[in-house]
Amino acid sequence: MRDSIALSAGVINSKPVTQPAFAPKPYIQLESNTVADEPLIPLDPAWPHLSLEQVRAALCAPGQMFEMETVAVNGVPTRVWKNAPANLQLMIQLARGFGTQPFAVYEEERVSYEALYRAVAALARRLQAMGVGKGDRVALAMRNLPEWPVIFFATVSIGAILVPLNAWWASGELEYGINDSGARLLFVDAERHRRLADCYDRLNGVERVVASRLSEEPGGKAVSLESLIGAAGDWNGLADEGLPEVAIAPDDDATIFYTSGTTGSPKGALGTHRNLATNILSSAYTATRAVLRRGEPVPPPSPKVALLVIPLFHVTACSAMMTVAIATGSTLVFMRKWEPEAAMQLIERERVTLTGGVPTIAWQLIEHPARARYDLSSLEAISYGGAPSAPELVKRIHQEFGALPGNGWGMTETMATVTQHMAEDYLNRPTSAGPPVATADLKIMDLDGTRELPVGEVGELWARGPMVVKGYWNKPEATAATFVDGWVRTGDLARLDEEGFLYIVDRAKDMIIRGGENIYSSEVEDVLYAHPAVTDAALVGIPHRSLGEEPAAVVHLAPGHQVSEAELQDWVRARLAGFKVPVAIRFSDTVLPRNANGKILKTELKTMFADRIAA
């Protein structure tokens, strides 16, 4: 559920990173005996020019773009962005104003904003003709393709609820999501059509399947998307029908995103138009905050080019990336599948200004032996989340590309953005997830949820704001346990510093208790990441007869580097208490397995220690 939510920040920040505000100086090295937050480069002595509170007062003053107001959301008084779009239908109507500017690039296909709008309007009317109306669910199982945003906006623009399904799921998992949501209509690409063909009769409420990019017209209750609105290259020639007139309130239901829980059945997080629209101004606020902290005048928004390598069925890509791109007239470049050299080719060809996803992607761009053959100078920002990252990576991004690093924190239940961290703030606090946006509140509670803890203490993170979803679809008990008076109980162990910067320590369920001593996975992982040979690391707990469990680690090494288990254990022992040293370390030839949200699948890694578990 943890999200890489900072990708969107670079969309609105138009600062040319080829001319950094601070003078380039030799990079300082991390101290050999610590992984504590220290500036990774010498910052301008005058930075920050404004405190976080001064920035907030200036940006959120009456009459300013980021002015806030308090409204009742689900009966709870909530601070919201006063100038956020009222709904997603209005957002796509405004986006039409970007005209011939490119919206999407996929291989040789290019879709303009005008073509996007015409396709959305045409499909919205076709959906109404099929009987789809306000509150109906429309499921979507598809890889990142130009038609994904068309289906999304056509659905929400008529008040229906879009259900983005994990395209990596097996047929049984997809069947669960479709039936659990009660979808009336299902959109699929050719791969998902083949995967689900034998399941169509078991999809209880689905009246019609619409499939894209098939080699021939499907039969049965399936029709091709192209028969409804044509292929992507034809959309600019569609009749200018305009969107249907449908009354949509900010807190009307818009989406059901399923959580990435690794135990039990996924839960559908019910999101609203306000949830998604909030991200647009949240990302703009973060980017503007960085400029004011730097002491520079705020530049006007400018379109960017984003290489999108995370799936749109994930809230990060959909809510924190796609909606922000559309609000700024930016271009999304899609890849069929992540491959580092293909990505570098696209960055060079399309003059990509920002990319990211999970830390592994950034490392692969940095370490790839072919990198010198490509012009990557257009990159302004590389952002990521969903997994811990080494402070060394933060420095290397700036050092190797002249780009500003970024990360942040959010989850499916917050429709992505709650905190964002970028530029000098990130370089100054490389192990933090940043401060919350102005409309969000954070607090640290004891694990019983009865007492708020003081600054600096570790407890469960609770979050509140207009980005928090209504609850879980058709799961009232789970909703009541997780959502409390506008707050969402995140299940993350975290702490806040004196200025409100968030530090994620661990997932509550991932904390290892060895003989009564707590071991936070991220603490040990940060130390492993700080080793120059390590590019990917995860700590897992393995059973122990008397101690309960012990820490063990799996690491992936950078190309051309070698290090032994004993050397890494000594590295950790020199920096942390002895009980936190992994009792065993296994080496993976590939990057560690992750789900679609970038979360390492630690359950799979535990099988690598079967010999010790059996003993």
Side-chain angles (χ1 to χ4, degrees):
M1 294 189 294
R2 308 288 86 66
D3 296 328
S4 49
I5 55 129
L7 281 168
S8 54
V11 176
I12 297 179
N13 181 6
S14 61
K15 172 186 176 290
V17 298
T18 52
Q19 298 176 356
F22 40 83
K25 301 174 183 177
Y27 285 80
I28 63 172
Q29 298 295 318
L30 291 173
E31 294 293 332
S32 61
N33 62 349
T34 181
V35 290
D37 260 357
E38 297 181 6
L40 294 179
I41 66 170
L43 300 177
D44 183 341
W47 182 90
H49 289 258
L50 295 175
S51 69
L52 295 179
E53 285 304 315
Q54 288 172 321
V55 169
R56 175 171 168 158
L59 294 181
C60 301
Q64 298 300 310
M65 178 189 296
F66 302 104
E67 181 181 356
M68 296 182 288
E69 62 182 352
T70 299
V71 301
V73 177
N74 298 324
V76 177
T78 304
R79 277 194 325 278
V80 304
W81 300 119
K82 186 174 182 179
N83 297 313
N87 57 58
L88 299 171
Q89 183 192 72
L90 176 61
M91 183 190 304
I92 200 66
Q93 288 174 328
L94 294 173
R96 188 184 192 183
F98 296 114
T100 59
Q101 288 180 214
F103 161 67
V105 175
Y106 177 67
E107 296 179 347
E108 301 307 314
E109 299 175 13
R110 293 180 180 271
V111 177
S112 70
Y113 273 88
E114 176 66 21
L116 169 69
Y117 175 81
R118 292 188 179 221
V120 168
L123 185 58
R125 292 185 178 275
R126 306 299 180 272
L127 291 177
Q128 285 188 326
M130 294 178 192
V132 177
K134 197 166 185 178
D136 288 333
R137 275 79 66 205
V138 175
L140 171 58
M142 182 179 290
R143 70 167 61 249
N144 286 2
L145 293 167
E147 49 265 42
W148 202 106
V150 171
I151 298 163
F152 176 91
F153 279 101
T155 300
V156 299
S157 290
I158 60 171
I161 302 171
L162 197 280
V163 186
L165 296 171
N166 190 325
W168 296 1
W169 278 353
S171 58
E173 294 170 305
L174 289 168
E175 184 179 340
Y176 166 82
I178 295 165
N179 286 333
D180 181 70
S181 66
R184 291 186 58 185
L185 190 65
L186 169 64
F187 284 89
V188 292
D189 57 14
E191 294 164 90
R192 261 43 64 177
H193 176 61
R194 290 190 294 270
R195 188 179 303 170
L196 285 168
D198 294 337
C199 303
Y200 285 156
D201 291 340
R202 298 195 297 272
L203 303 181
N204 301 331
V206 173
E207 300 165 4
R208 183 169 295 184
V209 176
V210 181
S212 73
R213 302 181 185 250
L214 301 182
S215 56
E216 58 185 25
E217 191 70 22
K221 61 180 178 182
V223 298
S224 71
L225 177 65
E226 290 77 10
S227 69
L228 300 178
I229 60 171
D234 302 328
W235 294 343
N236 202 55
L238 287 168
D240 185 6
E241 300 180 79
L243 282 168
E245 292 186 9
V246 179
I248 302 173
D251 295 312
D252 281 352
D253 301 336
T255 57
I256 299 174
F257 280 91
Y258 279 87
T259 64
S260 59
T262 55
T263 58
S265 299
K267 298 185 289 291
L270 180 61
T272 67
H273 287 257
R274 189 191 303 277
N275 292 155
L276 285 111
T278 291
N279 263 331
I280 298 171
L281 286 183
S282 293
S283 293
Y285 178 85
T286 305
T288 307
R289 180 176 64 195
V291 174
L292 293 185
R293 298 264 281 173
R294 194 179 296 128
E296 296 180 351
V298 178
S302 63
K304 300 294 180 183
V305 180
L307 177 60
L308 186 62
V309 298
I310 47 180
L312 283 163
F313 57 74
H314 178 28
V315 293
T316 298
C318 178
S319 181
M321 193 68 178
M322 182 182 73
T323 59
V324 178
I326 288 175
T328 56
S330 296
T331 302
L332 294 177
V333 180
F334 296 152
M335 290 186 74
R336 186 181 185 280
K337 180 181 179 182
W338 168 256
E339 197 286 313
E341 188 161 4
M344 290 188 284
Q345 291 171 352
L346 283 171
I347 292 169
E348 179 180 80
R349 187 186 83 181
E350 303 296 334
R351 305 304 296 159
V352 167
T353 55
L354 63 137
T355 190
V358 295
T360 301
I361 287 173
W363 276 121
Q364 289 180 345
L365 290 176
I366 289 170
E367 301 284 355
H368 200 282
R371 180 164 66 89
R373 296 207 297 266
Y374 298 96
D375 179 6
L376 308 183
S377 61
S378 60
L379 284 173
E380 297 178 5
I382 300 179
S383 303
Y384 45 80
S389 59
E392 179 72 11
L393 176 59
V394 182
K395 182 179 71 175
R396 292 283 298 278
I397 288 172
H398 194 275
Q399 185 177 34
E400 303 279 347
F401 299 114
L404 295 174
N407 79 345
W409 177 87
M411 58 195 301
T412 307
E413 288 85 343
T414 66
M415 200 61 73
T417 310
V418 177
T419 75
Q420 285 190 325
H421 206 24
M422 63 182 299
E424 292 90 344
D425 270 316
Y426 192 9
L427 292 167
N428 193 49
R429 286 179 170 91
T431 63
S432 172
V437 299
T439 54
D441 294 312
L442 303 177
K443 65 180 178 179
I444 305 299
M445 300 289 288
D446 63 15
L447 296 187
D448 292 332
T450 58
R451 181 173 63 93
E452 185 172 357
L453 300 179
V455 168
E457 288 196 22
V458 173
E460 184 184 8
L461 173 65
W462 289 34
R464 178 176 67 181
M467 66 289 294
V468 174
V469 303
K470 283 185 174 179
Y472 296 122
W473 178 257
N474 285 341
K475 288 184 169 52
E477 292 183 2
T479 296
T482 304
F483 300 90
V484 182
D485 297 327
W487 294 90
V488 57
R489 301 185 62 164
T490 71
D492 278 338
L493 295 178
R495 63 179 175 87
L496 298 170
D497 69 13
E498 294 80 1
E499 292 186 75
F501 282 78
L502 173 67
Y503 293 78
I504 299 294
V505 175
D506 209 346
R507 285 291 290 164
K509 66 181 180 181
D510 287 342
M511 184 176 67
I512 299 165
I513 304 176
R514 181 184 190 181
E517 297 289 346
N518 294 345
I519 302 173
Y520 300 125
S521 299
S522 63
E523 182 181 26
V524 182
E525 289 163 353
D526 282 347
V527 172
L528 290 169
Y529 274 120
H531 192 285
V534 175
T535 62
D536 214 3
L539 194 76
V540 298
I542 57 177
H544 187 274
R545 178 176 296 178
S546 59
L547 296 174
E549 57 184 345
E550 291 184 307
V554 181
V555 301
H556 173 62
L557 302 181
H561 287 73
Q562 290 186 339
V563 64
S564 69
E565 177 185 53
E567 288 172 327
L568 283 179
Q569 288 171 322
D570 288 343
W571 174 270
V572 176
R573 189 175 292 110
R575 291 158 178 81
L576 295 175
F579 70 88
K580 300 178 182 180
V581 177
V583 297
I585 297 178
R586 301 289 188 260
F587 295 87
S588 173
D589 293 334
T590 61
V591 295
L592 305 187
R594 287 174 165 82
N595 63 19
N597 293 348
K599 182 180 179 182
I600 293 176
L601 299 174
K602 293 191 174 184
T603 302
E604 294 185 12
L605 298 182
K606 290 183 180 182
T607 62
M608 301 178 69
F609 300 95
D611 56 331
R612 296 190 64 97
I613 294 173

